[in-house]
Amino acid sequence: MPRLFVALPMPEEVAIDLERLSTGLPGARWTDPEDYHLTLRFVGEVDHETFWELGEALASVRVPPFDLALLGLGLFPPRGEPHTLWVGVESPEPLIALKRKIDRVVRELGVAQEKRNFHPHVTIARFRFPPPPDRLGSWLKGRSLFRTRPFPVSHFNLYSSVLRPEGAEHTLEASYDFVAGVMERV
């Protein structure tokens, strides 16, 4: 059964900015630049019929294109030993509107709601073991003003993923243009 999620891919210039952050923390498993994305909806495992229905239904999602900038750094969980390092989003309102439309399409197919609140971010590292707190604090402080230039967002993608010991392997399944609602199966 396919394990699916809907996400925004990061443009090359943003991936370059994110990759520049990817050094200096012991125990960090840095995200490969080709895998940078902002998850809008984790769907989970679905049967093949639902996979195809979802692929078709997402073509109905239309929103005006918008600009987005990444801003700031954070950790999951916010308290306790961190396991994920992420970059946040500045002014996420258009992103939230897009997510609501995607959620509606997914819900209409009978897929269960996500239990976690939406916190828009791009994961840049996962920790095998938490870095020393003073080193992590210093690293975060030195990069606290991180911000990308705004970049245009005019499409989203449907991905499948396979979990592997070295990390998830993502496969692009389809891409959807906001305006035309065009779906391109890959």
Side-chain angles (χ1 to χ4, degrees):
M1 290 201 306
R3 182 177 184 268
L4 304 174
F5 66 96
V6 179
L8 295 180
M10 291 296 106
E12 185 177 346
E13 64 275 10
V14 173
I16 290 168
D17 289 343
L18 293 172
E19 188 175 21
R20 288 186 184 125
L21 295 172
S22 301
T23 185
L25 279 176
R29 186 178 71 221
W30 300 101
T31 302
D32 191 303
E34 291 86 40
D35 288 335
Y36 291 137
H37 65 273
L38 193 155
T39 300
L40 295 166
R41 178 62 154 82
F42 179 74
V43 178
E45 288 188 3
V46 298
D47 59 44
H48 288 284
E49 182 179 342
T50 303
F51 170 46
W52 289 107
E53 289 174 355
L54 177 62
E56 297 295 322
L58 286 170
S60 69
V61 174
R62 290 184 181 81
V63 296
F66 56 89
D67 287 341
L68 191 66
L70 302 182
L71 174 69
L73 299 155
L75 300 166
F76 289 136
R79 289 182 207 70
E81 290 193 350
H83 57 70
T84 304
L85 175 63
W86 51 262
V87 174
V89 173
E90 181 177 34
S91 303
E93 294 79 14
L95 196 63
I96 291 168
L98 172 60
K99 179 181 176 25
R100 284 186 185 128
K101 290 186 178 204
I102 291 169
D103 282 344
R104 187 190 80 245
V105 166
V106 174
R107 187 175 50 251
E108 287 173 357
L109 291 173
V111 176
Q113 287 284 101
E114 284 186 286
K115 296 192 187 317
R116 294 182 286 185
N117 290 335
F118 181 56
H119 184 92
H121 68 279
V122 176
T123 297
I124 61 170
R126 296 190 187 279
F127 299 113
R128 293 184 181 111
F129 54 88
D134 58 335
R135 181 93 177 255
L136 179 59
S138 174
W139 191 94
L140 289 168
K141 184 177 179 183
R143 292 154 183 84
S144 63
L145 298 178
F146 177 81
R147 182 182 188 271
T148 65
R149 289 186 181 149
F151 56 93
V153 177
S154 62
H155 73 283
F156 63 92
N157 294 337
L158 175 63
Y159 295 92
S160 62
S161 70
V162 176
L163 298 178
R164 307 223 184 274
E166 62 277 2
E169 179 183 311
H170 304 142
T171 301
L172 175 62
E173 299 291 346
S175 188
Y176 304 88
D177 183 86
F178 287 173
V179 179
V182 173
M183 175 186 70
E184 179 183 334
R185 288 232 186 242
V186 180

